[in-house]
Amino acid sequence: MSDPQTADLLAVEHLGVDYPVRGRGKEPVRALRDVSLTVRPGECLGLVGESGSGKTTLGRAILGLVRPSSGRIVYDGQDITSLPKNSRRALSSEIQVVFQDPYSSLNPALPVAAILAEPLEVAGASRAEARERIRQVLDDVGLPPDTAGRLPRAFSGGQRQRIAIARALVRRPRLVVCDEPVSALDLSTQARVLDLLVDVQRRTGVAYLFISHDLDVIRHVSHRAAVLRHGEIVESGPADDVTRRPHHAYTKRLMLSSPVADPDRQARRRAGRRPPRKAAG
């Protein structure tokens, strides 16, 4: 990967997010606590953690879908922590998202052309402009032009995720939040979609916040990585260092939990995850 630019495109500063709990006098659940991270233009920052670690909550806060209880989110020098709806809607040309499930993230009743044209029409593009941009973006994600006239059900999971990526890219955003975008796909399809995301980044300079539970996936796509545990960043650094030579015990457990094809190596990894037995006595 080429080196990204040095100035921060996104800065998350001491962010906290609380979820209220039903019931009188019950304390809210703290999903994020004092989280700070940055994403530079053209960079992929991988955010990794187990289910419940708070990584999706962080992505939703950046997208304006969750209101932080403390800290702030700065995009391109602008504090976007509490933007009103109109301003947040205008920011959608700059920040986009690719969700986990390619089957539920696309409207099954609309042909692909209509799905991709909708954000362009909201931005005021003419029909001719939208048609040309749709042709370009389908080519960017490796789909043929006749894709535009077909419904989502006509495609495989990998193809649907390519359509979802095309939708995220159609307005030429500077930042895309990728929330577990390959976890619902089989391994061979995962590899193709990951290679596509890396290629798109090289060609367009878009930045990614890439959310995953898989260290191997994070290593494949990321320049830097941050590890989230119980709502806190416990380790961060160059992606290759964090995913191959982690320092924190939690990251080491994540590494040992990643499956490998060799049964003997897998058995050793599983043994490494188990706590040592206490001596009898």
Side-chain angles (χ1 to χ4, degrees), residues 18-234:
D18 295 335
Y19 287 123
V21 177
R22 288 186 178 182
R24 188 174 180 179
K26 289 191 175 181
E27 293 293 320
V29 173
R30 169 121 325 168
L32 296 176
R33 50 176 64 82
D34 198 29
V35 170
S36 296
L37 55 80
T38 60
V39 182
R40 297 187 290 267
E43 177 184 46
C44 179
L45 175 70
L47 184 66
V48 64
E50 294 173 302
S51 177
S53 62
K55 56 189 187 297
T56 292
T57 294
L58 179 56
R60 289 172 60 83
I62 292 166
L63 294 165
L65 302 175
V66 170
R67 183 176 291 274
S69 53
S70 59
R72 67 176 191 154
I73 302 167
V74 178
Y75 173 79
D76 198 22
Q78 177 188 6
D79 189 336
I80 65 169
T81 314
S82 302
L83 281 182
K85 287 185 178 180
N86 288 343
S87 299
R88 172 58 72 168
R89 195 174 297 116
L91 197 62
S92 65
S93 64
E94 296 271 328
I95 304 175
Q96 275 293 321
V97 60
V98 177
F99 292 108
Q100 175 179 356
D101 187 356
Y103 293 93
S104 62
S105 64
L106 302 174
N107 188 331
L110 294 179
V112 171
I115 292 171
L116 299 181
E118 187 175 21
L120 295 171
E121 291 169 356
V122 169
S126 69
R127 286 187 179 182
E129 289 169 336
R131 192 161 49 245
E132 175 60 19
R133 179 58 186 150
I134 289 168
R135 185 196 64 77
Q136 291 173 350
V137 78
L138 287 176
D139 184 62
D140 286 343
V141 299
L143 291 172
D146 65 359
T147 299
R150 300 160 68 188
L151 293 172
R153 67 170 176 261
F155 301 95
S156 67
Q159 290 170 323
R160 291 188 198 196
Q161 198 62 299
R162 286 174 183 263
I163 295 167
I165 293 167
R167 181 180 58 188
L169 297 174
V170 74
R171 291 188 64 185
R172 297 183 175 89
R174 298 176 66 194
L175 173 68
V176 176
V177 176
C178 301
D179 188 2
E180 295 272 13
V182 298
S183 63
L185 307 175
D186 64 76
L187 289 178
S188 62
T189 306
Q190 279 188 23
R192 289 194 294 271
V193 172
L194 291 174
D195 287 342
L196 169 66
L197 288 167
V198 171
D199 182 59
V200 166
Q201 185 173 56
R202 284 173 176 159
R203 287 187 284 110
T204 67
V206 66
Y208 298 138
L209 174 64
F210 195 101
I211 297 168
S212 179
H213 64 278
D214 190 328
L215 282 173
D216 290 335
V217 168
I218 292 295
R219 183 187 311 120
H220 188 85
V221 298
S222 304
H223 297 93
R224 292 185 298 122
V227 183
L228 198 62
R229 177 177 183 265
H230 298 328
E232 296 182 277
I233 300 288
V234 296

